[in-house]
Amino acid sequence: EVQLVESGGGLMQPGGSLRLACAHSPISVADYAIGWFRQAPGQDREAVACFGNGIGMTYLTDSVKGRFTISGDNAKSTVYLQMNNLKLEDTATYYCAAYLGWDSSCRPSSYTYWGRGTQVTVST
């Protein structure tokens, strides 16, 4: 079983930046996809960014393109989500997830292992 622990959430003003980190148990990063998803109250969980290190592929949902970046540090078994120019609508609980494979559509239903989430609140 893959364990994932998110950190780095918090309260930020619009236009600010946060970096989320997902520490995962040792896995073959060449085989696994790791993604960031978010869920706001009353809304479905949605994809934010997915990362397939082994195949050099990334996915970013349209609403975060140009603002968010996903990257991995294999030596630290950590995947990061750098979030710049935060907007009010980025407020949500952010989850890290992993699964063996690669889904080019970054669908939450594809992912097997999930962290508990970290809260991001963007507010004036």
Side-chain angles (χ1 to χ4, degrees):
E1 181 173 342
V2 180
Q3 296 184 339
L4 306 113
V5 179
E6 305 93 336
S7 62
L11 174 65
M12 182 56 64
Q13 292 183 339
S17 297
L18 285 172
R19 188 176 76 160
L20 305 184
C22 172
H24 57 79
S25 51
I27 56 175
S28 174
V29 293
D31 298 326
Y32 277 80
I34 295 182
W36 285 98
F37 302 84
R38 65 186 180 188
Q39 188 168 19
Q43 297 187 19
D44 292 336
R45 191 167 298 187
E46 64 171 355
V48 177
C50 290
F51 180 62
N53 189 34
I55 57 174
M57 297 293 290
T58 60
Y59 168 96
L60 288 170
T61 196
D62 287 345
S63 63
V64 306
K65 286 181 179 177
R67 301 190 297 124
F68 291 12
T69 304
I70 186 170
S71 63
D73 185 334
N74 295 338
K76 296 183 178 180
S77 295
T78 302
V79 174
Y80 300 98
L81 183 69
Q82 178 66 44
M83 307 187 295
N84 298 327
N85 190 21
L86 284 162
K87 301 179 179 181
L88 296 174
E89 53 264 38
D90 294 320
T91 295
T93 301
Y94 283 69
Y95 298 89
C96 177
Y99 94 104
L100 188 63
W102 172 250
D103 176 2
S104 60
S105 298
C106 195
R107 293 169 294 184
S109 59
S110 296
Y111 283 72
T112 309
Y113 306 102
W114 290 83
R116 293 188 175 183
T118 185
Q119 178 67 36
V120 171
T121 302
V122 185
S123 175
T124 57

